Amino acid sequence: MSRTAVVALGGNAFTREDQQGTFAELAENARAMAETVHALRRAGWNVVIVHGNGPQVGNLAIQQEEGASVVPALPLSALGAMTQGQLGSLISISLRQTARAGEDIDVATIVTHVAVASDDPAFDDPRKPIGPFFHGDAVTEAVETRGWTMVEDSGRGHRRVVPSPKPQAILEAASIRTLADAGVVVVAAGGGGVPVVDEGNGLAGVDAVIDKDYAAQQLANQLGADALVLVTGVTNVMVDFGRPTQRALDEIGVDEVESHLADGQFPEGSMGPKVRAGIAFLRNGGSTVVVTTPEFAATALADDESSRIGTRIVADIVGAPAAEA
């Protein structure tokens, strides 16, 4: 019986820091990510892909503003839907291009809507970076002329930040489950999904960008997925990073990783959201979380312990001490 893995791919994997975000760059990066999906499928997994869109939706927002004198600019929620189609198409094409001869693959991209709370504190505290990096006078100009909220991002420059509310429900989860159970590779909740709120007389999109790791966790739990794969730029999650006592985490129980999180081991600007998403998946019925680079995603989920590479977080490790209350 096939197992289902929800795989979260970052928007930065499509547009890398040293790239401009041209279509050719996006397509080439998508082909590299497709190999991760093929490896999981060849290992017997059904795959649902969730991708980020921070660089792409921010770039699209700039195009909207620059063209507003010619055609009306669209709201951020609509731009999120547009990036779902854009990146979903690239993923679909790349999966077909990189399939082996005789390897059947069916791919479907679902424009996905995600319920959020209208009173989520994130609406008053924007923290999600989108778009390109700005430097020098361009930062001041963006604040004064565009009305953006700008923050410094990891020493690389300033970026626009927008609200990032927590996902409460993936509205198309039932359709996604039907496709995944049929062996279709599903691209869903792209860019975290289109955030919507219930206004009493119907749903309405809101200007925000949901974190793709939290959206992937929510979707994985609603699907009853067997694994949540959080793809990142490092092979393993580290504790005591940058210190003489630095060490990589291999297999670890959720109680222990939660203790490390409480000790401040995983900063919010880097590994924090992935670890929090992984804990939430496990606490809500999931069994396995993997955090590693694209090329080791399938290896980290291997049944053979001797061949595993990457960090694997599990709901319970037999014989491990329980975390203190």
Side-chain angles (χ1 to χ4, degrees), residues 239-248 265:
V239 292
D240 293 344
F241 182 74
R243 305 174 192 168
T245 52
Q246 173 180 306
R247 63 185 175 90
Q265 289 281 357

Side-chain angles (χ1 to χ4, degrees), residues 66 70 72 174 209 222 286:
E66 293 296 320
V70 181
V209 175
Q222 285 186 238

Side-chain angles (χ1 to χ4, degrees), residues 24-79:
E25 290 170 342
L26 291 170
E28 181 62 30
N29 294 336
R31 281 191 290 272
M33 288 186 287
E35 295 297 345
T36 298
V37 179
H38 285 307
L40 286 165
R41 280 172 50 82
R42 290 163 191 155
W45 291 87
N46 288 334
V47 179
V48 176
I49 302 169
V50 176
H51 62 78
N53 72 345
Q56 297 80 30
V57 77
N59 291 351
L60 189 55
I62 293 172
Q63 292 177 345
Q64 293 285 310
E65 291 191 13
E66 293 296 320
S69 61
V70 181
V71 293
L74 299 176
L76 190 59
S77 58
L79 304 188

Side-chain angles (χ1 to χ4, degrees), residues 236-254:
N236 290 72
V237 178
M238 298 284 186
V239 292
D240 293 344
F241 182 74
R243 305 174 192 168
T245 52
Q246 173 180 306
R247 63 185 175 90
L249 299 179
D250 296 317
E251 182 166 272
I252 183 172
V254 65

